[in-house]
Amino acid sequence: TVEEALKMLAAAKLQIEAIPLVGALFCEVNPIPVKKAIELQGRDTGVVRRPLTEMEPQNAERLKKEMQAYNVL
């Protein structure tokens, strides 16, 4: 139906808009970017345990920018 087609177009638009944020969330090994995203939202995530490391500063800035652009920060 036309209604279903419009819903699919709306969903596709949302998915395309999220691509930069998804890219930032997967630019380093998980869960590093996810923990950083939660930290940027002001929540405590504790320390990153070995063998993981803190997120690279340039990637953290990219993540912050994309979170702001997507209105989740």
Side-chain angles (χ1 to χ4, degrees), residues 20-32:
L21 177 58
V22 172
L25 283 167
F26 286 92
C27 70
E28 291 192 23
V29 176
N30 267 316
I32 295 169

Side-chain angles (χ1 to χ4, degrees), residues 21 41 64-73:
L21 177 58
Q41 290 180 324
K64 181 179 178 181
K65 179 182 145 217
E66 296 304 339
M67 289 176 69
Q68 290 170 333
Y70 204 71
N71 293 318
V72 292
L73 186 62

Side-chain angles (χ1 to χ4, degrees), residues 4-18 70:
E4 290 171 334
L6 291 174
K7 286 181 183 179
M8 286 180 61
L9 285 173
K13 181 180 181 284
L14 289 173
Q15 184 175 0
I16 290 168
E17 289 172 354
Y70 204 71

Side-chain angles (χ1 to χ4, degrees), residues 48-61:
V48 178
R49 292 182 289 164
R50 295 179 78 189
L52 301 177
T53 60
E54 291 292 329
M55 193 169 191
E56 293 293 327
Q58 69 273 15
N59 290 335
E61 187 58 36

